[in-house]
Amino acid sequence: MDRRGFLRTTGLATASLAVGGCAPVFGRATSNSPKRRIQLVPVDVTRDRIIRTTVGLRPHRDSGFVVRAEKLDEKLLIHNYGHGGAGYSLSWGTAFLATEFALAHTDRRAAVIGCGIVGLTTARRLQRHGFDVTIYAMALPPETTSNMAWAAFTPVSGLISGDRRTPEWDEQFRRAAVVAYREHQLLVGTNRGVSWINEYSPINPTAPGGGRGGGGRVLGAGEVSGPLLIPDSIGVGRTMLGPGEHPFATPYASVLPVLRFEPSVYLDALMRDVVSFGGRIVIRKFDTPRDLAGLSEPIVVNCTGLGSATLFDDRELVPMKGQLVVLVPQSDVNYTAAGMMPRSDGIVLGHVNQRGNWSLDVDEAERDRVVNNAIAFFSAMKRDVT
């Protein structure tokens, strides 16, 4: 079978919304590129190279993230939470939507509750519109859930259950995704930990399910399928690679440029930006909405993630436990594949996705699974493509 015929029969010639690793697999596949011989250095995966294992709880809602406004006594209360595994991806976009509500108020003093990626980008977006902002949080980076993220532009990851979508929510998502995608592109090269990296997806057309060997996975709980969610303005072309053009153990592979975020760099940079533009960061815990009513700011933006389950009695919020294994950094690895993401602070291996699990303890069995899969995958890579 030639490559053009392969693309037709597998359906990869059109945009898709399957998720490979945790990075998006959407994009327009192309097959007319010249013959290439891509050389990639395999990751050195051994247990003695593990430097840490991190656990974080993603805030998932089956009906998707919330951006809405309501009254809290005399205050304007704006909610911005429940992003599942798409917090980094959509943060600037939902911050834009939240700021639209704030701009309807005559006052320009705002309190942002939470100092993760959603709280920090919301604070910066408000500052850009002339708001005097104070962030209140009980935890700051590097102690936030956002510091534990795999962190690539994955706007559909863990986001919403397909049967809970509505036209209104879809439109809200599309607006947020377009804004966020553009914003992150403009941050590349500004020393804020945002960069482009090539994602490789090995493909075996004879495998059960048709497809992506090693690097792929099926959509999990809370993820979405269906092309209507992804605007045409998001994503660049996915290039197909045939036998001899790539180092993987499958006949075919694809490559797609994706946006990568380095949490420790990105979050610290955002905090510095907030403070340099006159913002304040206050350590404080809130137990009830009554506590928020006592703040001096007339506008309060709730970016507490899973904290909204208790603070605002959102019973739809459930944790999606994630766990990452981090290896010693490997400077010659400059691509992502099979749930592996290289960063300056280490080679990150995922993924774990456990619905309803509130434990922050390391799951040893899942760690072994992730490491064993990585050993098998990278051991099978060819060091020289012929």
Side-chain angles (χ1 to χ4, degrees):
M1 180 186 295
D2 63 22
R3 193 186 323 166
R4 198 173 297 276
F6 164 70
L7 288 168
R8 285 196 300 269
T9 58
T10 60
L12 287 173
T14 59
S16 69
L17 192 64
V19 175
C22 214
V25 182
F26 52 79
R28 295 163 291 284
T30 60
S31 60
N32 57 356
S33 57
K35 187 82 170 179
R36 66 195 62 211
R37 295 165 61 88
I38 293 176
Q39 307 286 340
L40 300 174
V41 175
V43 177
D44 184 5
V45 186
T46 59
R47 283 172 173 76
D48 58 2
R49 291 179 63 81
I50 296 174
I51 54 177
R52 63 184 179 274
T53 303
T54 66
V55 176
L57 305 180
R58 311 177 190 98
H60 171 75
R61 303 175 80 254
D62 282 346
S63 61
F65 64 80
V66 174
V67 181
R68 69 167 185 265
E70 61 186 53
K71 294 291 288 184
L72 178 63
D73 292 344
E74 299 303 313
K75 297 186 185 301
L76 175 64
L77 174 63
I78 304 168
H79 294 289
N80 182 12
Y81 69 90
H83 297 70
Y88 274 87
S89 303
L90 296 178
S91 57
W92 283 103
T94 60
F96 171 81
L97 300 177
T99 300
E100 286 186 323
F101 286 115
L103 287 169
H105 200 286
T106 57
D107 204 295
R108 289 296 178 265
R109 291 174 297 139
V112 173
I113 315 302
C115 200
I117 187 63
V118 175
L120 286 166
T121 52
T122 298
R124 287 294 297 123
R125 180 66 73 173
L126 288 166
Q127 287 180 323
R128 290 180 183 179
H129 288 273
F131 283 83
D132 180 13
V133 177
T134 300
I135 294 177
Y136 297 92
M138 65 178 183
L140 305 181
E143 304 300 330
T144 70
T145 297
S146 296
N147 287 92
M148 312 303 166
W150 194 80
F153 189 77
T154 57
V156 299
S157 180
L159 194 60
I160 186 172
S161 296
D163 60 356
R164 300 296 300 276
R165 285 173 53 188
T166 65
E168 295 76 18
W169 190 91
D170 281 4
E171 177 59 24
Q172 178 176 258
F173 167 82
R174 281 192 288 266
R175 292 186 68 210
V178 168
V179 170
Y181 187 57
R182 175 69 172 172
E183 187 75 33
H184 282 126
Q185 292 177 52
L186 299 178
L187 290 175
V188 173
T190 64
N191 297 318
R192 284 171 171 79
V194 182
S195 58
W196 289 98
I197 190 169
N198 281 338
E199 179 219 30
Y200 289 88
S201 295
I203 299 168
N204 184 357
T206 64
R212 295 174 176 84
R217 64 183 174 88
V218 298
L219 292 173
E223 294 181 350
V224 186
S225 62
L228 293 179
L229 275 180
I230 298 297
D232 290 340
S233 58
I234 290 182
V236 291
R238 175 174 289 277
T239 300
M240 302 306 303
L241 304 172
E245 294 182 295
H246 63 86
F248 303 107
T250 54
Y252 297 89
S254 68
V255 57
L256 173 73
V258 297
L259 283 162
R260 162 184 60 177
F261 314 122
E262 297 210 40
S264 59
V265 178
Y266 194 12
L267 296 171
D268 281 355
L270 285 171
M271 283 202 300
R272 288 194 300 271
D273 287 346
V274 168
V275 173
S276 67
F277 281 89
R280 294 167 297 282
I281 300 177
V282 177
I283 305 297
R284 181 168 174 181
K285 184 176 183 294
F286 299 93
D287 295 314
T288 69
R290 294 293 93 201
D291 297 334
L292 296 174
L295 293 173
S296 61
E297 294 85 0
I299 302 170
V300 177
V301 189
N302 168 38
C303 303
T304 58
L306 269 178
S308 294
T310 54
L311 186 57
F312 292 100
D313 195 30
D314 187 338
R315 300 184 182 183
E316 190 177 343
L317 267 172
V318 295
M320 289 286 188
K321 180 178 179 178
Q323 180 173 293
L324 300 173
V325 179
V326 185
L327 308 177
V328 173
Q330 195 171 334
S331 61
D332 53 0
V333 174
N334 57 0
Y335 64 95
T336 175
M340 177 279 298
M341 179 65 79
R343 301 198 307 229
S344 58
D345 63 345
I347 297 284
V348 181
L349 305 177
H351 303 280
V352 174
N353 195 38
Q354 298 176 342
R355 181 187 176 97
N357 188 341
W358 287 91
S359 173
L360 291 173
D361 295 333
V362 172
D363 186 322
E364 301 288 350
E366 284 295 280
R367 179 166 61 185
D368 287 344
R369 177 187 65 81
V370 166
V371 172
N372 288 338
N373 285 348
I375 290 172
F377 179 85
F378 292 105
S379 296
M381 280 180 61
K382 305 177 184 123
R383 291 188 176 269
D384 294 305
V385 178
T386 56

